[in-house]
C-alpha cells in the first residue's frame, strides 16, 4: 500500500448515491497531479488528507491511484492552522479570530476543540454561535468517514449509503452494527436482500433471529405488493419466505412467526395474516367511515338549492339529469358519498355545480380538493377553478423519513374533502389521510370502479361500494359524448357487450390494426409520424403497453419513438445514463414522489437542460426537467426516478388524458390482460384510439375480469366493527 498526503484539486466525477469519486489530487510526495478513484464522502478542497491505496491500470484511462481508505490530517504549524481556520469551511471565522484561537490554545488547538468545544470559551471574542460553527465544521466529517470506512472495511456496496445515512443520520453506525435488518422496516427502497448482505458481511449468522423475523415480515409485505392484497395465508407466507431464506426448519419458522405475533408486528385474524400497518389501516378506514355513514342527515334549504342550481344551469347552458341532481342533494345532506360513472356521464359537470352551490350556502367552509397524481390534481384544478393538489402534498409527506407532517396530532384544517380518481388510492395512504382528516365533516369520493385499482395494496373503491357507503352511479351518456366511439366502446366494455372486433368498424375515432409483436414498433412509428405531420406533438400522443420487456415492450418503444419525436443532431445535447440516452427536448416520466419539489409519480415533463459540473459547489452532472413550469433538478442519486415517457405503462397513465392513444395488445401480455386494464387504457384517449396487435388477445383480456389474487377485508370490517361515538373517535 502507498500513502500520500495532500489535497483534492479537481473533481472529474462524483456520485452522491454511491460516493464514488474520480479526482485529481495534489500530493506532497509528487510534483504533479495524480488521478485517483475510489469512495469518499463529505470532503472539500480545504482539508489535507492521507490517501492510502495502490496503483492500477484502467483499460480505458490508464494508470490511476486506487483509493482503499483515507483520513483527515489536521494542520500542525501555526500558520497552516490559521489558514485552515480562516478558510470558507469555517463560515464567518476570519484570520484575526483564527490567530486568537491559535495564540490561546496553542498548536494542539484543533484536537482540543474536538475533545471539548468549550475550550473555545477561553478565546477572547468567542461567541456561542462561532463556537458551534467551528466545532461542527471540525467534527462534521468524522462520523461520515467512520460509516464510510465501516462499509469499505466489510466490502459492502456503497450504493445505498446515502439513503441509509439520510434516514438514520448519527445513528447509522449503531443500526448497521446491531441490526441491519431494521433497514427493511424503515427505509423505502431497501429490501431484504440488501439488508441481508449487510448483516452477513458484518458477522451476522444464517440462523440469526433478526434475520428470520425480517424475512417473515418481508414475505408478508412483498406478497401484498405483488398481489395488491392486504393479507395473506400461511402457505403464501411460506412460499415467499422460501425464495429468500433456505433450509429453515418449519418448527423454527413457526416459533419466530409466533414471536412476531406476540410483538404485534404481525396480526393474525383466523387464518389471515396481516402486517400490522395494513391491519391498522383497514381498521382506521372502516371506523372513520362507519361513523359518517351512521350520522343523521343534515338539513338544508331545498328550495334555495333548486334556485341556485337552476340559475347555474342557465348561465352554463346545462340541463342536469335526475341522477346528477340526486348526487348534489345527497352530497349536501350526507357526511360521505361515492360518485361513480364511466366517461361521458357528467361526473365533472355535476361536481362543478356541487362546488358552486355549496360555496354559496356555506361560504366560510374550507374545501380541500385532492387527487392521487400531479396530473390528475392539475386537471381537477382546471375543471373546477379551485386549487387541487396530490394527497401526499396535502399531508406534507417527508421523503427520507416516509412520514406525514399532517397527522392525528396535527390535523387538516378542512371542513370538506373531495378526492378525485379515487380508484387509484391505496389502503395505507387513505388511512393516513383519514388520520389527519378526523375533523372533516364531509367526504366525497369520485372515481370509476371499472378502472384499475391502486398499485399498492387495497381495492378501496370497490370495497367501500360493497360495504354500503352511499353510491350514486351516473350511467346516462350525454349527447356530446354519444358522438365519441371511444366513450361508446368504454360503455360496451362496462356492460359486457363486445362479442368480436366487428364493433370497431362503426367508429371513426377507433382503429384496429392486426399485427404480430415484431411489427408493433414499425406500425407505431408510422402512426406517430402521420400524427406529427397533421400537427400533433409529443404531448398529444401517448403510447401505452402493459410490459417493459420484449420487442414490443415499453423500453423498446421508447428507444424507437425517441428517434421519431426527438432525433439527435449536432445541436441537440445528450446525456448517457446506463443504456439510456437522454436528449434535450425528451418527454420525461416521473417514477417516484418528490413532494419537496412538487413532482409526483406519473407526472410528465420535458428535459430542458443538461448541466455538466465539476466544481465544489456542484459536484455532479445535472438534468433539468420542466413539469408545466416547475423546473426540477436531477443528479446521479435521482436519475433512477425518471425515464422516457413516449411510451408508458397503463398503470402509470391513470389520471392522465391524451388526444391520441396508441395501445398494443398482444399474446405476449396474456398474463397481464384484464378487462379493467384495457378499459383504463381506452379511456385515456380523447380524440383518437389506435389498437395494434391480436384480436384474440384483446377478447381474452375483456373476458378476464376477475382479479382473484387481490384479497382485502375492508368490506367485512364494516360488518364486525362496533358502533362508535364520534366524540370517542376524535379523542
Amino acid at each position: 500500500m502507498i500513502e500520500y498526503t495532500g489535497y483534492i484539486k479537481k473533481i472529474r466525477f462524483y456520485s452522491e448515491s454511491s460516493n464514488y469519486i474520480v479526482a485529481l489530487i495534489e500530493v506532497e510526495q509528487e510534483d504533479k497531479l495524480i488521478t485517483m478513484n475510489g469512495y469518499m464522502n463529505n470532503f472539500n478542497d480545504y482539508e489535507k488528507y492521507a490517501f492510502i491505496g495502490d496503483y492500477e491500470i484502467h483499460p480505458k484511462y490508464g494508470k490511476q491511484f486506487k483509493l482503499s481508505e483515507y483520513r483527515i490530517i489536521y494542520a500542525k504549524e501555526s500558520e497552516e492552522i490559521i489558514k485552515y481556520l480562516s478558510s470558507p469551511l469555517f463560515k464567518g471565522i476570519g484570520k484575526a479570530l483564527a490567530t486568537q484561537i491559535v495564540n490561546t490554545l496553542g498548536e494542539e488547538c484543533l484536537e482540543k476543540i474536538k475533545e471539548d468545544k468549550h475550550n473555545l470559551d477561553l478565546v477572547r471574542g468567542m461567541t456561542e454561535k462561532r463556537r458551534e460553527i467551528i466545532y461542527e465544521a471540525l467534527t462534521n466529517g468524522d462520523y461520515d468517514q467512520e460509516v464510510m470506512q465501516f462499509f469499505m472495511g466489510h466490502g459492502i456496496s456503497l450504493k445505498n449509503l446515502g439513503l441509509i445515512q439520510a434516514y438514520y443520520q448519527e445513528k447509522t453506525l449503531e443500526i448497521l452494527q446491531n441490526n441491519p435488518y431494521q433497514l427493511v422496516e424503515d427505509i423505502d427502497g431497501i429490501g431484504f436482500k440488501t439488508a441481508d448482505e449487510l448483516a452477513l458481511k458484518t458477522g451476522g449468522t444464517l440462523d440469526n433471529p433478526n434475520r428470520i423475523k425480517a424475512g417473515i415480515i418481508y414475505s408478508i409485505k412483498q406478497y401484498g405488493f405483488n398481489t395488491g392484497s392486504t393479507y395473506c395465508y400461511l402457505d403464501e407466507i411460506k412460499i415467499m419466505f422460501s425464495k429468500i431464506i433456505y433450509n429453515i426448519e418449519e418448527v423454527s419458522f413457526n416459533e419466530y412467526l409466533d414471536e412476531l405475533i406476540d410483538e404485534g408486528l404481525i396480526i393474525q385474524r383466523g387464518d389471515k395474516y396481516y402486517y400490522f400497518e395494513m391491519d391498522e389501516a383497514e381498521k382506521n378506514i372502516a371506523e372513520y367511515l362507519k361513523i359518517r355513514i351512521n350520522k343523521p342527515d343534515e338539513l338544508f334549504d331545498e328550495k334555495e338549492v333548486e334556485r341556485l342550481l337552476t340559475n347555474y344551469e342557465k348561465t352554463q347552458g346545462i340541463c342536469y339529469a335526475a341522477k346528477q341532481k340526486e348526487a348534489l342533494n345527497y352530497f349536501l345532506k350526507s357526511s360521505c358519498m361515492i360518485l361513480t360513472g364511466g366517461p361521458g356521464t357528467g361526473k365533472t359537470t355535476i361536481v362543478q355545480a356541487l362546488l358552486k352551490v355549496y360555496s354559496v350556502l356555506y361560504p366560510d367552509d374550507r374545501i380541500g380538493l385532492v387527487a392521487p397524481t400531479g396530473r390528475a390534481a392539475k386537471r381537477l384544478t382546471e375543471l373546477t377553478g379551485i386549487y387541487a393538489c396530490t394527497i401526499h402534498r396535502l399531508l406534507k409527506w417527508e421523503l427520507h423519513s416516509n412520514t406525514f407532517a399532517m397527522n392525528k396530532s396535527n390535523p387538516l384544517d378542512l371542513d370538506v374533502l373531495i378526492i378525485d380518481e379515487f380508484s387509484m388510492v391505496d389502503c395505507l395512504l387513505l388511512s393516513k389521510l383519514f388520520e389527519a382528516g378526523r375533523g372533516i365533516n364531509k367526504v366525497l369520493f369520485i372515481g370509476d370502479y371499472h378502472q384499475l385499482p391502486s398499485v399498492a395494496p387495497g381495492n378501496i373503491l370497490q370495497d367501500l361500494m360493497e360495504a354500503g357507503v352511499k353510491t350514486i352511479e351516473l350511467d346516462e351518456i350525454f349527447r356530446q359524448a354519444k358522438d365519441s366511439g371511444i366513450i361508446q366502446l368504454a360503455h360496451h366494455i362496462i356492460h359486457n357487450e363486445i362479442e368480436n372486433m366487428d364493433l370497431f368498424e362503426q367508429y371513426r375515432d377507433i382503429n384496429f390494426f392486426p399485427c404480430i409483436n415484431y411489427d408493433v414498433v414499425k406500425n407505431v412509428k408510422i402512426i406517430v409520424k402521420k400524427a406529427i405531420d397533421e400537427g400533433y406533438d409529443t404531448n398529444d400522443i401517448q403510447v401505452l403497453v402493459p410490459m417493459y420487456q420484449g420487442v414490443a415492450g415499453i423500453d423498446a418503444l421508447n428507444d424507437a419513438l425517441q428517434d421519431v419525436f426527438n432525433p439527435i443532431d449536432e445541436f441537440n445535447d445528450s446525456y448517457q445514463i446506463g443504456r439510456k440516452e437522454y436528449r434535450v427536448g425528451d418527454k420525461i416520466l416521473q417514477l417516484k414522489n418528490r413532494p419537496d419539489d412538487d413532482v409526483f409519480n406519473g407526472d410528465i415533463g420535458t428535459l430542458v437542460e443538461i448541466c455538466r459540473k465539476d466544481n465544489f459547489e456542484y459536484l455532479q452532472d445535472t438534468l433539468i426537467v420542466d413539469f408545466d413550469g416547475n423546473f426540477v433538478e436531477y443528479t446521479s442519486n435521482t436519475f433512477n426516478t425518471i425515464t422516457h415517457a413516449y411510451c408508458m405503462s397503463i398503470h402509470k397513465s391513470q389520471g392522465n388524458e391524451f388526444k391520441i392513444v396508441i395501445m398494443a395488445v398482444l399474446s405476449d401480455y396474456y398474463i397481464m390482460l384484464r378487462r379493467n386494464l384495457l378499459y383504463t387504457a381506452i379511456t385515456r384517449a380523447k380524440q383518437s384510439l389506435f389498437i395494434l396487435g391480436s384480436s384474440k388477445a384483446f377478447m381474452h383480456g375483456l373476458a378476464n375480469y376477475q382479479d382473484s389474487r387481490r384479497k382485502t377485508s375492508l368490506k367485512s370490517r364494516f360488518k364486525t366493527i362496533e358502533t362508535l361515538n364520534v366524540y370517542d373517535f376524535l379523542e
Side-chain angles (χ1 to χ4, degrees):
M1 287 287 182
I2 301 170
E3 181 171 331
Y4 288 129
T5 55
Y7 299 87
I8 298 171
K9 298 305 291 182
K10 184 173 183 175
I11 306 294
R12 284 183 171 170
F13 174 80
Y14 181 67
S15 168
E16 285 184 359
S17 59
S18 68
N19 298 118
Y20 182 76
I21 184 174
V22 180
L24 292 176
I25 59 174
E26 183 183 62
V27 299
E28 295 175 338
Q29 293 86 348
E30 301 277 352
D31 190 23
K32 61 181 180 181
L33 295 176
I34 295 172
T35 301
M36 176 198 74
N37 70 82
Y39 296 93
M40 294 183 73
N41 67 347
N42 202 24
F43 53 85
N44 59 72
D45 57 345
Y46 305 113
E47 288 181 312
K48 183 189 281 188
Y49 295 91
F51 302 104
I52 303 163
D54 214 339
Y55 281 98
E56 65 173 13
I57 305 298
H58 192 280
K60 183 176 181 180
Y61 300 108
K63 188 177 181 182
Q64 293 186 343
F65 183 75
K66 179 72 174 180
L67 183 68
S68 296
E69 58 180 292
Y70 68 98
R71 64 179 183 275
I72 298 171
I73 297 178
Y74 291 107
K76 295 295 184 183
E77 302 292 330
S78 294
E79 288 186 10
E80 284 186 346
I81 298 171
I82 292 168
K83 183 180 178 182
Y84 177 61
L85 285 172
S86 57
S87 72
L89 184 65
F90 300 85
K91 295 179 181 179
I93 311 300
K95 189 174 180 180
L97 184 57
T99 303
Q100 191 68 27
I101 292 170
V102 174
N103 290 341
T104 304
L105 300 178
E107 292 184 344
E108 296 77 32
C109 61
L110 300 181
E111 286 76 13
K112 289 180 179 179
I113 296 167
K114 288 179 69 177
E115 288 173 6
D116 185 356
K117 63 183 178 181
H118 291 287
N119 283 322
L120 284 167
D121 296 340
L122 301 172
V123 180
R124 194 170 71 181
M126 184 60 59
T127 64
E128 183 181 351
K129 184 179 180 181
R130 286 173 170 173
R131 182 188 71 201
E132 295 303 319
I133 289 172
I134 295 168
Y135 181 75
E136 188 175 333
L138 279 175
T139 59
N140 189 41
D142 290 356
Y143 195 81
D144 288 340
Q145 187 180 335
E146 192 177 355
V147 174
M148 172 73 76
Q149 300 297 359
F150 176 85
F151 269 66
M152 294 174 69
H154 290 91
I156 301 166
S157 168
L158 296 167
K159 178 183 176 184
N160 296 303
L161 179 56
L163 197 63
I164 295 168
Q165 283 190 291
Y167 187 89
Y168 293 118
Q169 298 180 6
E170 72 277 359
K171 293 184 178 179
T172 299
L173 206 55
E174 178 187 341
I175 297 293
L176 293 174
Q177 290 172 329
N178 294 333
N179 184 15
Y181 296 104
Q182 188 65 38
L183 274 62
V184 182
E185 289 292 294
D186 295 337
I187 303 177
D188 185 33
I190 293 186
F192 177 83
K193 289 182 179 179
T194 300
D196 203 34
E197 178 199 7
L198 275 167
L200 295 177
K201 285 187 175 181
T202 55
T205 59
L206 295 175
D207 60 351
N208 184 330
N210 288 330
R211 182 172 189 256
I212 310 303
K213 288 181 178 180
I216 294 172
I217 290 173
Y218 178 78
S219 299
I220 293 176
K221 292 173 72 173
Q222 198 60 35
Y223 179 86
F225 280 95
N226 287 350
T227 65
S229 303
T230 59
Y231 67 86
C232 57
Y233 298 114
L234 183 59
D235 287 347
E236 291 164 340
I237 303 174
K238 290 180 177 179
I239 291 170
M240 293 295 299
F241 183 83
S242 66
K243 294 178 181 179
I244 57 172
I245 296 181
Y246 316 101
N247 302 321
I248 297 295
E249 294 183 0
E250 188 167 351
V251 174
S252 296
F253 175 91
N254 292 333
E255 179 186 335
Y256 289 121
L257 177 60
D258 289 341
E259 284 188 20
L260 288 168
I261 293 170
D262 291 339
E263 293 167 9
L265 292 172
I266 303 298
I267 306 297
Q268 183 182 4
R269 299 189 183 280
D271 59 351
K272 300 179 178 68
Y273 293 83
Y274 303 77
Y275 183 58
F276 81 96
E277 282 189 336
M278 201 61 70
D279 178 77
E280 191 175 90
E282 284 195 336
K283 179 174 174 287
N284 286 345
I285 294 168
E287 287 181 349
Y288 185 95
L289 292 175
K290 191 72 177 280
I291 287 172
R292 283 154 177 77
I293 290 172
N294 293 332
K295 283 181 69 175
D297 289 348
E298 297 177 25
L299 299 176
F300 63 93
D301 190 334
E302 295 183 15
K303 290 184 177 180
E304 177 64 6
V305 170
E306 187 176 349
R307 185 186 70 80
L308 290 170
L309 189 60
T310 301
N311 288 341
Y312 190 72
E313 285 179 317
K314 289 178 181 178
T315 58
Q316 299 297 313
I318 297 173
C319 183
Y320 290 108
K323 275 220 175 155
Q324 289 178 305
K325 292 179 179 179
E326 181 189 355
L328 170 62
N329 284 299
Y330 196 87
F331 170 77
L332 292 172
K333 71 180 183 181
S334 69
S335 296
C336 67
M337 180 187 103
I338 295 170
L339 179 65
T340 187
T345 56
K347 293 193 300 292
T348 301
T349 55
I350 193 58
V351 169
Q352 289 171 328
L354 176 152
L355 287 167
K356 183 68 74 174
V357 170
Y358 190 90
S359 298
V360 174
L361 293 175
Y362 310 100
D364 296 329
D365 277 13
R366 295 152 302 213
I367 302 174
L369 270 63
V370 294
T373 68
R375 276 289 176 105
K378 185 183 178 187
R379 189 160 58 89
L380 186 59
T381 300
E382 292 168 349
L383 292 170
T384 62
I386 299 174
Y387 172 74
C389 64
T390 64
I391 298 172
H392 283 84
R393 186 160 187 81
L394 179 71
L395 297 179
K396 298 181 179 178
W397 181 59
E398 207 286 316
L399 175 64
H400 293 301
S401 63
N402 194 27
T403 58
F404 297 96
M406 310 307 294
N407 49 46
K408 188 177 180 179
S409 304
N410 185 30
L412 294 165
D413 187 21
L414 292 173
D415 299 293
V416 179
L417 180 66
I418 297 176
I419 311 172
D420 197 17
E421 297 287 352
F422 187 61
S423 64
M424 299 172 63
V425 179
D426 64 85
C427 190
L428 284 175
L429 184 58
L430 186 62
S431 174
K432 296 297 182 184
L433 180 58
F434 284 171
E435 279 185 10
R438 289 173 172 246
I440 293 171
N441 298 319
K442 196 178 292 290
V443 184
L444 172 63
F445 309 103
I446 307 169
D448 184 350
Y449 67 92
H450 299 288
Q451 289 190 30
L452 289 165
S454 59
V455 175
N459 194 15
I460 301 294
L461 179 55
Q462 189 80 39
D463 284 349
L464 295 187
M465 290 172 64
E466 294 178 3
V469 176
K470 174 66 177 180
T471 301
I472 294 180
E473 182 172 3
L474 305 180
D475 52 11
E476 180 182 343
I477 305 175
F478 289 92
R479 180 177 54 80
Q480 62 270 29
K482 289 180 179 178
D483 298 330
S484 167
I486 297 166
I487 290 176
Q488 294 288 342
L489 176 62
H491 286 271
H492 286 310
I493 292 174
I494 289 173
H495 299 295
N496 197 24
E497 296 172 343
I498 302 177
E499 297 180 358
N500 52 57
M501 305 296 283
D502 295 343
L503 183 70
F504 287 41
E505 296 177 3
Q506 62 184 288
Y507 302 125
R508 290 182 299 176
D509 54 354
I510 302 176
N511 300 273
F512 175 72
F513 296 96
C515 65
I516 61 174
N517 55 357
Y518 289 96
D519 290 334
V520 167
V521 170
K522 177 185 69 176
N523 289 329
V524 168
K525 287 171 70 175
I526 292 171
I527 296 168
V528 168
K529 286 177 180 178
K530 187 176 180 182
I532 292 172
D533 290 341
E534 292 178 0
Y536 294 95
D537 61 30
T538 181
N539 294 317
D540 299 325
I541 308 165
Q542 188 59 56
V543 182
L544 302 176
V545 299
M547 295 177 63
Y548 279 86
Q549 305 302 316
V551 294
I554 293 171
D555 292 336
L557 280 159
N558 267 322
D559 287 345
L561 291 170
Q562 184 187 34
D563 290 331
V564 177
F565 283 108
N566 192 26
I568 195 163
D569 59 49
E570 59 181 311
F571 305 108
N572 193 11
D573 197 8
S574 63
Y575 189 84
Q576 198 77 26
I577 303 176
R579 58 167 294 276
K580 295 181 181 178
E581 181 183 57
Y582 290 88
R583 304 166 189 168
V584 171
D586 272 344
K587 186 177 182 179
I588 300 296
L589 177 67
Q590 180 68 24
L591 299 174
K592 292 186 177 181
N593 292 326
R594 286 178 59 177
D596 292 344
D597 296 307
D598 198 23
V599 60
F600 296 88
N601 186 1
D603 285 354
I604 299 171
T606 303
L607 177 60
V608 293
E609 191 175 358
I610 297 169
C611 305
R612 292 173 172 83
K613 302 181 179 181
D614 60 358
N615 56 56
F616 281 91
E617 185 180 1
Y618 301 98
L619 294 176
Q620 44 186 329
D621 298 340
T622 303
L623 307 184
I624 299 175
V625 180
D626 176 12
F627 293 95
D628 297 322
N630 177 27
F631 294 87
V632 180
E633 292 188 357
Y634 295 84
T635 51
S636 60
N637 61 325
T638 52
F639 284 158
N640 65 340
T641 66
I642 58 171
T643 190
H644 292 113
Y646 302 110
C647 178
M648 70 171 70
S649 71
I650 297 167
H651 280 90
K652 291 289 186 187
S653 74
Q654 279 190 275
N656 293 307
E657 289 184 338
F658 310 94
K659 291 180 180 179
I660 299 173
V661 166
I662 306 166
M663 57 182 294
V665 183
L666 302 163
S667 56
D668 296 21
Y669 312 148
Y670 257 46
I671 193 170
M672 300 186 69
L673 292 178
R674 287 185 172 81
R675 181 183 295 180
N676 56 6
L677 185 87
L678 297 176
Y679 176 86
T680 301
I682 287 165
T683 53
R684 299 311 91 200
K686 294 169 65 177
Q687 293 183 8
S688 298
L689 173 67
F690 296 86
I691 303 174
L692 286 71
S694 162
S695 59
K696 183 180 177 182
F698 188 86
M699 296 305 297
H700 163 78
L702 291 184
N704 186 17
Y705 59 90
Q706 293 291 340
D707 188 356
S708 58
R709 299 190 310 162
R710 191 171 290 245
K711 301 188 291 287
T712 65
S713 52
L714 180 58
K715 181 175 65 174
S716 62
R717 291 178 189 259
F718 275 78
K719 298 176 182 178
T720 58
I721 201 167
E722 296 181 4
T723 303
L724 298 170
N725 184 290
V726 66
Y727 299 106
D728 294 334
F729 183 63
L730 290 171
E731 287 181 354

